[in-house]
Amino acid sequence: MTGTIFIRGLVIHAQHGVMEHETEVGQRFVMDIELSTDLSESSRTDRLADTVSYAGVVATASAAFKDANYKLLERAAGAVADAVLATFPRVITIKITVHKPHAPIPAIFDDVGISLTRSRE
């Protein structure tokens, strides 16, 4: 029974970007994470050990996102995907969306960002 575990609206302050002030001061990013995993065992046993811990994913994703100062959101999201897949063997596929609501763009906009999906090989 494949299912989805999701975390939406994870707010992280980090220093990613191409412009100098982005790497010095940093800014707020918002991350959405979707994990595809087999939920058949945990849906019967009611044991945390049989699923993927939300808290563990948040800790791993936050650490990977803040681990380095990346120029591109694509690279920051890729670091998160790699870390989550390496840490949680039950995760089959991960989709990450990173929103950069305060991107230095001379325009009025609601949101900009990227989404990427990675699967276990």
Side-chain angles (χ1 to χ4, degrees):
M1 175 196 317
T2 301
T4 303
I5 293 174
F6 62 88
I7 299 159
R8 293 194 183 118
L10 176 61
V11 178
I12 300 174
H13 185 271
Q15 282 106 354
H16 304 311
V18 175
M19 303 182 85
E20 187 175 331
H21 71 274
E22 293 179 291
T23 61
E24 289 177 4
V25 177
Q27 62 192 291
R28 176 180 175 250
F29 295 88
V30 181
M31 193 179 326
D32 301 325
I33 303 169
E34 286 188 19
L35 309 170
S36 174
T37 188
D38 184 350
L39 298 176
S40 59
E41 193 172 354
S42 61
S43 69
R44 286 190 302 271
T45 66
D46 199 29
R47 292 176 4 153
L48 181 59
D50 295 332
T51 192
V52 178
S53 164
Y54 307 127
V57 171
V58 166
T60 299
S62 297
F65 194 77
K66 295 189 293 187
D67 186 44
N69 294 353
Y70 301 111
K71 290 181 177 141
L72 301 178
L73 290 183
E74 293 88 331
R75 179 63 191 108
V80 171
D82 292 343
V84 170
L85 287 171
T87 306
F88 302 95
R90 291 181 182 272
V91 174
I92 300 164
T93 302
I94 180 170
K95 178 181 178 186
I96 300 172
T97 301
V98 180
H99 307 265
K100 190 174 180 178
H102 304 292
I105 300 171
I108 297 171
F109 59 92
D110 286 332
D111 196 11
V112 298
I114 63 98
S115 289
L116 69 79
T117 302
R118 291 220 175 129
S119 297
R120 208 167 277 294
E121 294 184 16

